[in-house]
Amino acid sequence: RKPASYGHMKKDVQLWVSNWGIGYLKLCQCNTTIDIRRTAYQRMQRILKRSGKKVTYECDPPYTDKAWDMLSKTCNLWAAHDDIEDTFDSWTAAIDDMGEWSLQKYTGPGQWNLPDILRIGEGGQTFEEYRAQFGMYTIIPAPLIAGTDLRKATSDVLSIYTATEVLAINQDILGIPGKRISSINGIDIWSRKLFEEDVAVYVLNRNKSRRSSISLPLVEIIMSATDIEFDASFNIRDVWNKRDEAVDWNRNSTKPFIISLNGHDSRLYRLRITKPLCSQYGSNSPESCIER
């Protein structure tokens, strides 16, 4: 037998957390039954709480258990899928499976679905595919755990992991999950409500070799993600390139918002409200609001 924590949890937490100050604990329960895993994960949760220390707690059961309700009440993050390979098809298939299993309803502050660690930088994908994977983990959102040695990462890889405006979306304080609002001809569109009624929009071209153009249905996207009525105005910011693509856009804008994507490429936008409806404020309307 290999030494492990089963039967020694109190001693291990005392050593790792109380003595060494470890702040992240991942508990695997391989080659056991689902009942043993459930008991072990819940027991470790109780021991960690009694330690009085702040510890991020990851549970790593076989995803085939599909014990999502228990995991979301017990762990801070958990394995929501089998291991992902360093390929575009592997991580997109994982996202599709998680959508089919309706896992987004378990996501929220302090409890996160983890498709798997990020393979960005391992060499199996293009820069655009790596950036697309990072963007997908941002819109879901999922924990960003690097699976490569960042000490040896290229400047391109580091530019993905350190993209501040992208990270700000992933780490948005509301923790509201994103949702796929359309998937047509290989083009996926996702939206996610952010703090202060901002909206994140993620667009992915799943076609490998075909360049595709699409007119984003911004009114529908905004209405799917926020309570702000679509008369409001937004700045549309490309967060990867750190530039505004449109300023004070609203539903009366005559120019459609069209983007073109190469195969397996993506876009990630932040729509920031600039002029809300005056009616939302009643008699205390600011001068910059929009009259109906």
Side-chain angles (χ1 to χ4, degrees), residues 107-112 137-144 163-178 191-201 225-226 239 268-272:
T107 289
Q111 54 187 66
W112 309 103
Y137 275 49
T138 293
I139 203 73
I140 294 177
L144 303 172
T164 55
E165 294 190 25
V166 179
L167 292 170
I169 295 176
N170 177 271
Q171 298 291 302
D172 186 77
I173 192 171
L174 296 183
I176 294 174
S191 68
R192 180 183 168 201
K193 181 178 179 178
L194 305 176
F195 183 59
E196 293 186 336
E197 301 295 346
D198 285 4
V199 179
V201 180
T226 181
V239 295
L268 183 60
Y269 299 102
R270 186 178 192 126
L271 278 58
R272 174 156 288 168

Side-chain angles (χ1 to χ4, degrees), residues 239-255:
V239 295
W240 281 116
N241 294 309
K242 297 183 178 180
R243 66 170 180 246
D244 289 335
E245 298 289 348
V247 177
D248 286 339
W249 183 94
N250 59 62
R251 68 167 179 164
N252 296 317
S253 300
T254 57
K255 185 177 180 181

Side-chain angles (χ1 to χ4, degrees), residues 59-234:
C59 299
D60 190 30
Y63 77 99
T64 50
D65 284 0
K66 297 186 177 180
W68 316 122
D69 188 63
M70 180 275 294
L71 292 168
S72 66
K73 296 174 181 176
T74 305
C75 320
N76 296 123
L77 63 157
W78 54 88
H81 201 270
D82 199 5
D83 291 348
I84 291 177
E85 299 176 357
D86 186 18
T87 67
F88 181 90
D89 289 342
S90 182
W91 65 260
T92 52
I95 299 303
D96 290 342
D97 287 342
M98 290 170 61
E100 184 178 338
W101 301 332
S102 302
L103 298 194
Q104 293 300 81
K105 64 185 177 183
Y106 300 107
T107 289
Q111 54 187 66
W112 309 103
N113 293 295
L114 178 64
D116 194 11
I117 60 175
L118 291 160
R119 300 294 181 181
I120 297 168
E122 295 185 4
Q125 301 180 67
T126 66
F127 173 77
E128 289 75 19
E129 289 170 336
Y130 280 141
R131 194 168 63 173
Q133 184 181 11
F134 201 86
M136 180 63 78
Y137 275 49
T138 293
I139 203 73
I140 294 177
L144 303 172
I145 303 176
T148 191
D149 188 344
L150 295 179
R151 296 170 300 177
K152 301 177 182 178
T154 65
S155 58
D156 279 348
V157 169
L158 289 177
S159 74
I160 295 175
Y161 279 116
T162 60
T164 55
E165 294 190 25
V166 179
L167 292 170
I169 295 176
N170 177 271
Q171 298 291 302
D172 186 77
I173 192 171
L174 296 183
I176 294 174
K179 53 187 175 182
R180 180 160 37 193
I181 60 175
S182 71
S183 182
I184 302 173
N185 296 325
I187 303 295
D188 288 358
I189 301 176
W190 292 67
S191 68
R192 180 183 168 201
K193 181 178 179 178
L194 305 176
F195 183 59
E196 293 186 336
E197 301 295 346
D198 285 4
V199 179
V201 180
Y202 173 78
V203 188
L204 175 67
N205 184 2
R206 300 179 68 143
N207 301 296
K208 184 175 183 179
S209 57
R210 190 176 76 201
R211 182 175 176 83
S212 301
S213 296
I214 183 171
S215 178
L216 288 184
L218 291 176
V219 170
E220 290 81 359
I221 290 171
I222 293 167
M223 293 183 67
S224 74
T226 181
D227 297 328
I228 293 290
E229 297 184 52
F230 55 70
D231 283 349
S233 292
F234 292 82

